[in-house]
């Protein structure tokens, strides 16, 4: 788990009259938990663009945040600056036009691994989810062959993670570099799906047994790119973390 540090700051990647994209550092929450909470990315966005708090988004306290990232995850975070832009982004998420890419560094040879370097890619992992574990802090992928209890407790929506590339370790390396894509997200979706095929993310205290109970683990999981239509012009846009560019083949897979 990444320690919360009060000096963590967002970096603005792009902005215009309708939206802002920031690079959220690991350790900084995306949104406030309660009124008056200012240690989060949204509060920093509002400092720069007050209109991000001037309308009703998913929750009143979340303002124009279009989506959220886990506190321990670094990456691109999008906020709308107008009600019309927010509603447009919501429609894009529902119709599959809002695409999120993630880079993860994973344990490649864990005992439960069902992934092989010979596995054809892209690989589609699709499931429903249900809350799981102590305090319901985790989620459990519920696949078609799951038991009756899991199927009963799971939500009805199917969520798909597309594994686009897996660079397996060579020589003395111990981690695989994995690129994933989703167009509809559930809490911890990509992390839980990767763990389900035996590629748990390094530093993941929830889904990687090697890090259970370790409070100083660094999560090697990054929201590396966002792709969507401009909410006014309709132009197709792609934003990536500068230090984690997408391979040229990613958009065509």
């Amino acid at each position: 788990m990444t320690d919360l540090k009060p000096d963590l700051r967002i970096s603005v990647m792009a902005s215009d009259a309708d939206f802002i994209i920031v690079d959220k550092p690991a350790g900084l929450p995306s949104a406030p938990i309660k009124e008056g909470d200012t240690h989060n990315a949204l509060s920093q966005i509002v400092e720069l663009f007050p209109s991000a708090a001037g309308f009703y988004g998913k929750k009143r306290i979340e303002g124009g945040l279009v989506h959220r990232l886990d506190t321990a995850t670094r990456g691109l975070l999008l906020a709308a600056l107008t009600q019309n832009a927010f509603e447009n982004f919501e429609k894009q998420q529902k119709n599959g036009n809002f695409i999120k890419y993630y880079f993860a560094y994973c344990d490649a040879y864990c005992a439960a691994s069902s992934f092989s370097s010979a596995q054809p890619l892209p690989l589609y992992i699709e499931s429903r989810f249900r809350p799981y574990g102590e305090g319901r802090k985790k989620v459990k992928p519920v696949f078609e062959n799951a038991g009756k209890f899991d199927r009963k407790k799971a939500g009805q929506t199917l969520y798909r993670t597309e594994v686009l590339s897996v660079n397996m370790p060579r020589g003395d390396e111990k981690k695989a570099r994995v690129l994933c894509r989703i167009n509809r997200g559930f809490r911890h979706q990509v992390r839980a799906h990767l763990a389900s095929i035996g590629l748990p993310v390094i530093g993941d205290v929830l889904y990687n047994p090697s890090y259970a109970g370790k409070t100083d683990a660094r999560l090697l999981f990054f929201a590396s790119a966002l792709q969507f239509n401009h909410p006014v012009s309709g132009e197709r846009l792609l934003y990536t973390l500068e230090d984690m560019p997408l391979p040229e083949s990613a958009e065509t897979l």
Side-chain angles (χ1 to χ4, degrees):
M1 179 181 295
T2 304
D3 292 335
L4 298 181
K5 298 179 181 179
D7 58 339
L8 292 174
R9 302 293 299 180
I10 61 173
S11 297
V12 177
M13 304 298 294
S15 66
D16 68 7
D18 298 287
F19 67 86
I20 176 175
I21 293 179
V22 303
D23 180 356
K24 183 194 81 67
L28 183 69
S30 294
I33 297 175
K34 58 183 179 181
E35 293 289 346
D37 176 14
T38 60
H39 179 49
N40 56 79
L42 177 62
S43 293
Q44 293 183 28
I45 290 172
V46 171
E47 290 175 10
L48 302 172
F49 295 86
S51 62
F55 59 93
Y56 191 95
K58 286 184 171 62
K59 298 179 181 178
R60 188 69 185 91
I61 199 172
E62 294 184 6
L65 276 186
V66 176
H67 62 116
R68 297 173 64 165
L69 297 177
D70 297 328
T71 296
T73 299
R74 175 206 164 191
L76 297 183
L77 190 65
L78 173 68
L81 300 179
T82 69
Q83 186 71 47
N84 286 339
F86 181 87
E87 292 173 1
N88 182 278
F89 287 135
E90 284 280 276
K91 290 180 181 177
Q92 291 191 51
Q93 291 188 87
K94 290 179 180 178
N95 64 26
N97 284 334
F98 190 87
I99 309 297
K100 293 179 277 189
Y101 292 85
Y102 296 87
F103 269 122
Y105 291 91
C106 302
D107 284 336
Y109 301 116
C110 75
S113 180
S114 61
F115 181 84
S116 164
S117 58
Q119 173 73 51
L121 297 175
L123 169 66
Y124 302 120
I125 310 171
E126 191 172 66
S127 77
R128 297 183 291 150
F129 284 96
R130 77 173 184 89
Y132 186 72
E134 183 179 355
R136 298 162 67 90
K137 294 180 180 179
K138 301 170 63 176
V139 299
K140 184 177 183 179
V142 178
F143 299 101
E144 290 184 355
N145 61 349
K148 182 177 180 181
F149 180 80
D150 282 336
R151 295 199 309 270
K152 181 179 179 181
K153 292 293 183 179
Q156 296 304 306
T157 303
L158 281 172
Y159 294 90
R160 172 187 283 189
T161 297
E162 302 176 35
V163 180
L164 302 181
S165 65
V166 180
N167 295 328
M168 296 296 283
R170 297 181 179 179
D172 294 333
E173 294 180 0
K174 296 183 178 180
K175 58 189 178 184
R177 191 174 194 240
V178 182
L179 174 62
C180 296
R181 176 174 63 194
I182 63 174
N183 62 12
R184 175 184 288 177
F186 193 83
R187 178 169 63 102
H188 302 171
Q189 173 182 331
V190 178
R191 291 160 56 190
H193 270 166
L194 287 175
S196 75
I197 62 170
L199 288 174
V201 178
I202 292 172
D204 194 334
V205 299
L206 293 179
Y207 302 102
N208 189 333
S210 298
Y211 294 89
K214 295 185 178 180
T215 59
D216 59 345
R218 179 190 172 208
L219 182 69
L220 299 187
F221 184 73
F222 307 92
S224 59
L226 290 174
Q227 189 175 35
F228 53 85
N229 299 330
H230 190 283
V232 176
S233 71
E235 179 186 1
R236 192 68 173 162
L237 303 173
L238 174 67
Y239 295 94
T240 65
L241 291 175
E242 293 180 358
D243 55 334
M244 296 183 188
L246 292 177
E248 293 183 2
S249 61
E251 292 182 64
T252 61
L253 287 173

